[in-house]
Amino acid sequence: MNSLVFVLGLIFGSFLGVIIDRLPQERNIVAGRSMCDTCERSLEWIDLIPLVSFIMFKGRCRRCKTKLSYRYPLLELITGSAYLMAFHVFGLSYMSLVAMILASVLIVIAFIDIDTMIIYDRFHVILLALGAIVIALNPSSLKSGLLGIVIVSVPYLILAIVTQGIGGGDVKLIASAGLMLGASNTVLAFVLSTLVGGVYGVILILGKKVSAKDAIPFGPFLCIGIYTSFLYGDKIVSAYLSLF
């Protein structure tokens, strides 16, 4: 079953790559054949087998032999791994399906934010819908979910207005995820994303890849924090509180 879930993730990861590429360009994500960016020839089924085709053709276009980006197999691996993590935590259940949908949405958000520094509002609506499903499955979580919407987003919004250095999309992202995560896990998601993002930023600055004044998309780190908190938040929070 683990292998099946992982392969399913690879397949969906390939489709997510299409969404990530086409959505910012306002292209149809369903119609239209995928093609090589260099020779512009339409890809056939053998070129589109997730991960396998990349390995089979040694990371090059089968026809023009142009070296392909590692981004696409990496995206497929990330999606497959995220699906597998969801299955390990929730097993064969509705929550596992919710987690996989969440992973898919967050992956698209993260990669588009890296490319464009934009987080589309349609994804916030999807996260709110997932939150409503989680609450429907566990009605007792409603109060915590409603608190989760505002507990980080409101102070984050104030900080964004004062500093002008935080994107509105990031504020809406943590707010929409809060309904699903609940209060404590929303705070955890923000803390984790800040830590990971801070470490990454320091590494870039020390490596002279960016300066302290350069803008770095924060959405990907929020996505990491949100997904980690959704899967393991209760255990992490309990482990932390047990220290006191």
Side-chain angles (χ1 to χ4, degrees):
M1 191 66 180
N2 287 336
S3 298
L4 181 60
V5 170
F6 184 69
V7 170
L8 182 67
L10 294 180
I11 295 171
F12 273 93
S14 181
F15 177 65
L16 296 183
V18 174
I19 297 175
I20 292 165
D21 285 344
R22 295 186 182 184
L23 190 59
Q25 300 175 22
E26 298 183 353
R27 294 166 56 197
N28 193 308
I29 62 174
V30 178
R33 297 281 299 274
S34 297
M35 63 178 63
C36 173
D37 292 333
T38 302
C39 65
E40 297 185 347
R41 293 183 179 179
S42 296
L43 302 181
E44 298 179 7
W45 68 269
I46 196 171
D47 303 303
L48 298 172
I49 305 173
L51 194 60
V52 175
S53 57
F54 189 88
I55 297 172
M56 185 185 303
F57 302 118
K58 299 180 181 179
R60 296 181 180 275
C61 173
R62 183 169 57 91
R63 288 169 171 164
C64 69
K65 308 302 180 184
T66 299
K67 191 173 183 179
L68 303 175
S69 172
Y70 281 91
R71 172 179 173 131
Y72 299 106
L74 177 61
L75 176 59
E76 293 165 1
L77 280 172
I78 291 173
T79 310
S81 300
Y83 279 27
L84 197 56
M85 291 164 63
F87 182 68
H88 280 172
V89 172
F90 298 113
L92 196 61
S93 67
Y94 289 115
M95 285 300 292
S96 190
L97 178 59
V98 169
M100 292 175 188
I101 296 173
L102 173 63
S104 301
V105 175
L106 293 177
I107 288 168
V108 173
I109 289 174
F111 276 84
I112 290 181
D113 195 29
I114 290 171
D115 292 341
T116 66
M117 296 194 73
I118 295 173
I119 301 177
Y120 294 100
D121 285 341
R122 67 195 72 181
F123 297 123
H124 303 137
V125 175
I126 296 173
L127 292 181
L128 286 171
L130 289 176
I133 293 172
V134 170
I135 289 174
L137 295 173
N138 182 20
S140 63
S141 66
L142 175 59
K143 183 178 180 180
S144 180
L146 294 175
L147 182 57
I149 294 176
V150 299
I151 195 169
V152 170
S153 63
V154 170
Y156 202 30
L157 175 60
I158 295 172
L159 185 62
I161 294 172
V162 172
T163 65
Q164 297 294 316
I166 300 172
D170 295 335
V171 177
K172 288 183 278 188
L173 175 57
I174 195 66
S176 56
L179 181 62
M180 180 189 320
L181 296 177
S184 60
N185 285 346
T186 301
V187 174
L188 175 63
F190 181 71
V191 171
L192 290 175
S193 60
T194 302
L195 289 174
V196 176
V199 170
Y200 180 74
V202 169
I203 292 173
L204 289 183
I205 292 172
L206 292 177
K208 298 183 179 180
K209 301 293 185 180
V210 299
S211 70
K213 295 182 179 180
D214 290 332
I216 299 175
F218 191 59
F221 305 111
L222 280 174
C223 291
I224 292 172
I226 290 167
Y227 196 60
T228 302
S229 297
F230 186 74
L231 295 184
Y232 309 110
D234 292 340
K235 291 183 179 179
I236 294 173
V237 171
S238 296
Y240 175 75
L241 293 178
S242 67
L243 299 175
F244 302 94

